[in-house]
Structure formats: structure tokens, C-alpha cells
Amino acid sequence: MKTSAFILAMLLLCAFQFASSLRDKALESLANAERNFSATSEAKGLQQAFVENMAEDGIVFAPGPVNGRKLHAEAPQSKALLTWYPVYADIAKSLDWGYTTGPYQLKPSAEDDKIVGAGFYLSVWRKQPDGQWKVAIDMGNSFSPDLLKEEAYQPAKAAKKEKGIKGNLLAADVQQVQPYHHETLIYRHGEYPYKYKDAVVGPSSTVTYQLLGYELAPSADMAYTYGSYTQNTSKGEEKGHYLKVWKVLNKKWQLVAHNLVPDKK
């Protein structure tokens, strides 16, 4: 009897280790897709990089949501050099859907060392039928180049296998008090992104959201939502667009990343 229990325990351990290995490899392939995206920008220019790496229905913001591949295919060629790298990344249980985020920098050209633009990007990726990763939606938030700093890659650890309900996600998306948890990444124009646990003042609950679109991972444990927002500030009403990445934690949808970008900066 003890021998049977031991064998069962070993089989379960092997199955867990195999699943963990598959996840680690899939997550690394996602991070490498992001690194290759940046490498393509450096080698072929940012327009061609977006054309090659955006999904056919992939969305970028200019400032509202538009088809990213079409936007960059029709844009005039630029000598500007845009590069970036992933700092945080996570992948859904289905291993075909995930997000990456990290700092970017912009130079006038490859020959110019001066950084004229900087910020943090937030990208959601979807694996295509041919096995390639493509960007489903992308939004960057800018800040002063003086705030740039080197960061080490921090892939997310596997979480419990939990599924979320679409209706609950859509309801959570538009509520004024957002469902943050301590690791939620918060992006605001002009600021380096910070985690909710490090916030000096709690994020504002005066934002009104209008949902424009969403997508759930096939495993229903991760999702993104995007739309427009309005917020009353000391300078008057601010209008802009948002991108949020969600994950099911403790049986409910919670924010992984919350990005607000004003239309006028």
C-alpha cells in the first residue's frame, strides 16, 4: 500500500515538473518574441518591425485604437531608432496568450546617442495558427528620458489554475474603484510605472471608463480590456484611452497592469 502511494506521488511530481517546464519554455518564447521585435526595429526600422510583429487585427493607439499593422504600413519611413526590452512577462494557462512590458527609448537615428523619448510599453501577445507570437494590442506611456533605468527581467511565477467569467470582467472594468492587488503595475503619463504596493497615494477613483473592446485568453484566466476614459483633475477634465491586463487571482479578476494615456499631453 505504501509502495503504491509512493509511486502515485512520484507520478504526480513528474507531471507537475513537466507542466512547469512547458510553461517556462512557452513564457521564454514569448519574451524572446518581444526581444526579436525590438531587434527588428533596430535592423529594419520601427515601421517594418510593427508590420511584421502585429497581428492582422492588432491594435495600437494614435491616440484612439486603430489597426497597428495598417497604421505603420502607411506611415512615412523614419530614421528614428526605437528600442525596448521586457522586464515583466506572464503567460496564460493555455500557453498561447500573454503580456510583456518594459522600458523603451527613442533616438533621432541609429547614429545619434541622444535619447529624445522614453517610456514604458504594455503589449499583449497572441500565438498564431503557425505558432508565431504576434501582438494583439500595444500601448506605451511616456516619461522623461531622465527617469530611465536598467531593469532585470522578472518573469511571473505560475499561479493556481483558475477561470474567470466574462460578465464579471466587464463589470469590473468600468467600476470606479478598480480591483488592484499589491503587484498591480500602474502606468501614468510623466511617471515611471510603479506597483500598487509602492503607491504613496492610492490611485484615483475619479476616473470614468467606457469599454471599447476586450479579449480573454483561451484558458479564461487572463484578459485585456481597452477603451476611453475621462478624469477630473486640478487642470480640468482629462480625456484619454486605457489598456488594462487582468488575471484571475483568488477566484476573481484583478488588475495586472493599468495604463492610462491622456489624448493631449
Side-chain angles (χ1 to χ4, degrees), residues 61 82 101-105 117-123 138-145 147-148 185-194 229 231 238 240-243 257-265:
F61 294 81
L82 181 68
T101 184
Y104 69 82
Q105 62 179 35
F120 237 73
Y121 72 87
L122 174 60
S123 299
D138 174 83
M139 174 184 272
N141 215 328
S142 61
F143 49 71
S144 170
L147 297 179
L148 278 174
L185 273 171
I186 299 171
Y187 310 67
R188 297 295 182 267
H189 176 65
E191 302 179 38
Y192 200 89
Y194 56 90
Y229 75 88
Q231 180 179 13
E238 175 184 292
H241 289 82
Y242 70 86
L243 173 60
H258 187 194
N259 198 354
L260 296 183
V261 179
D263 291 343
K264 294 182 180 180
K265 305 176 182 66

Side-chain angles (χ1 to χ4, degrees), residues 77-263:
Q77 290 298 309
S78 171
K79 292 184 178 179
L81 176 62
L82 181 68
T83 56
W84 61 91
Y85 62 92
V87 171
Y88 302 103
D90 198 0
I91 196 167
K93 296 294 183 184
S94 53
L95 305 183
D96 57 3
W97 200 100
Y99 81 93
T100 58
T101 184
Y104 69 82
Q105 62 179 35
L106 180 69
K107 297 180 180 179
S109 69
E111 294 76 30
D112 199 323
D113 291 331
K114 184 179 180 181
I115 299 174
V116 295
F120 237 73
Y121 72 87
L122 174 60
S123 299
V124 177
W125 294 74
R126 184 196 309 132
K127 188 171 281 190
Q128 305 301 296
D130 64 0
Q132 293 188 65
W133 286 103
K134 298 289 184 181
V135 178
I137 192 165
D138 174 83
M139 174 184 272
N141 215 328
S142 61
F143 49 71
S144 170
D146 296 338
L147 297 179
L148 278 174
K149 56 185 178 181
E150 287 293 324
E151 297 236 39
Y153 176 53
Q154 302 176 53
K157 296 180 180 179
K160 292 180 180 179
K161 190 173 183 179
E162 298 178 301
K163 284 189 175 183
I165 299 171
K166 182 180 72 173
N168 292 345
L169 169 70
L170 302 186
D173 181 66
V174 296
Q175 66 187 40
Q176 285 195 319
V177 179
Q178 293 283 283
Y180 296 104
H181 69 102
H182 62 286
E183 293 293 327
T184 304
L185 273 171
I186 299 171
Y187 310 67
R188 297 295 182 267
H189 176 65
E191 302 179 38
Y192 200 89
Y194 56 90
K195 293 185 177 181
Y196 180 64
K197 64 182 180 182
D198 299 324
V200 177
V201 179
S204 175
S205 60
T206 61
V207 183
T208 300
Y209 301 97
Q210 181 178 357
L211 177 69
L212 297 177
Y214 64 92
E215 181 179 328
L216 275 70
S219 47
D221 59 324
M222 295 183 73
Y224 72 74
T225 56
Y226 71 92
S228 60
Y229 75 88
T230 58
Q231 180 179 13
N232 293 321
T233 71
S234 58
K235 298 179 181 180
E237 186 180 67
E238 175 184 292
K239 294 185 177 182
H241 289 82
Y242 70 86
L243 173 60
K244 305 173 190 173
V245 179
W246 303 79
K247 189 171 184 177
V248 180
L249 299 169
N250 300 318
K251 300 182 180 180
K252 61 182 179 180
W253 289 107
Q254 291 189 286
L255 281 167
V256 173
H258 187 194
N259 198 354
L260 296 183
V261 179
D263 291 343

